[in-house]
Amino acid sequence: MIKAAIFDLDGTLLDRDESVKKFVSNQYDRLLEFLHQIPKETYIKRFIELDCRGYVRKDKVYQQLVQDFNIKGLTWQKLLEDYISMFKHNCVPFPNLITMLGELKETDLQLGMITNGKGKFQLDNIRSLGIENYFDTILVSEWEGIKKPNPQIFMKAVAQLNVQPNQCIFVGDHPNNDVKAARHVGMIGIWKKDFEWNNVDADYIIDDLAELPIIIKRMCNNENF
């Protein structure tokens, strides 16, 4: 019996790729006085390259940007401050996010979230998406002192939801940090497709969040499909 659904954030609920594009475009416009000598598309493209889909620290990204483009009158620290304070205004949800969460709450499932990242920054993004109140527990790696794929953070979520691992599904986009790690502790691992990987070993694979309530209903009814 499935009693809980636990989610990753970036790349699963938050369309981080689109959010980053939107943010960097708006950052360029806000700071045009200092960046006008750089073509806008060049600035956006270089940020995305350096960011490596969120796996490179932003202080390093901005230090390199300032160096690459010889930016004057604007420090990397100021660029980083702008990122930290303004990114939340550029969050783009994946389609059907709110509908899916609403449908799951109607089934009395417990909902949880485990996300790597900075505590306040991630919580600001969650609130920007308007989804905080759907979740019974939210664990952010900075605040927990552990991060995925460490099994301890998965087990902490299970304990807070008062369920067993085999009563949980975990939905994420990263094959190792999300799907493999969740399955390792006994959860059902669902991979939300991402163009970066192929042939991911998962219990279920989805393209769209709208598929989740159907999958869970069938699992609860012990249907084969």
Side-chain angles (χ1 to χ4, degrees), residues 109-206:
L109 278 181
Q110 297 252 67
L111 298 185
M113 188 189 303
I114 304 173
T115 175
N116 288 349
K118 298 291 186 181
K120 185 179 184 303
F121 183 83
Q122 293 295 69
L123 187 58
D124 283 345
N125 294 342
I126 292 164
R127 288 173 173 167
S128 176
L129 292 174
I131 61 174
E132 181 184 13
N133 291 336
Y134 286 96
F135 291 90
D136 301 288
T137 187
I138 296 173
L139 280 68
V140 185
S141 64
E142 181 189 34
W143 287 341
E144 302 305 323
I146 43 175
K147 65 180 183 178
K148 299 177 297 181
N150 190 318
Q152 292 181 34
I153 198 166
F154 290 90
M155 295 310 295
K156 186 166 185 177
V158 166
Q160 290 185 358
L161 295 172
N162 195 29
V163 295
Q164 297 300 313
N166 62 3
Q167 297 172 323
C168 299
I169 66 164
F170 189 91
V171 186
D173 67 303
H174 196 286
N176 297 318
N177 293 347
D178 294 324
V179 180
K180 184 178 179 180
R183 295 179 81 195
H184 178 71
V185 300
M187 296 180 183
I188 296 162
I190 298 181
W191 180 51
K192 186 175 185 301
K193 279 189 179 178
D194 183 279
F195 68 86
E196 192 167 330
W197 295 282
N198 293 306
N199 303 316
V200 172
D201 188 14
D203 294 297
Y204 299 97
I205 296 174
I206 62 170

Side-chain angles (χ1 to χ4, degrees), residues 48-105:
I48 291 171
E49 288 173 350
L50 293 170
D51 178 62
C52 291
R53 304 193 80 197
Y55 289 99
V56 174
R57 284 170 35 187
K58 298 308 164 290
D59 56 345
K60 301 297 184 186
V61 171
Y62 281 118
Q63 287 175 52
Q64 192 62 52
L65 274 176
V66 168
Q67 180 178 320
D68 286 355
F69 295 126
N70 195 26
I71 297 171
K72 303 295 184 184
L74 187 64
T75 65
W76 67 264
Q77 291 94 336
K78 289 294 184 184
L79 286 163
L80 179 60
E81 287 173 11
D82 183 78
Y83 174 84
I84 292 169
S85 64
M86 299 302 291
F87 188 90
K88 61 179 176 282
H89 300 300
N90 298 273
C91 292
V92 178
F94 277 110
N96 302 308
L97 171 60
I98 299 295
T99 301
M100 177 273 295
L101 291 175
E103 288 182 22
L104 294 188
K105 290 301 285 186

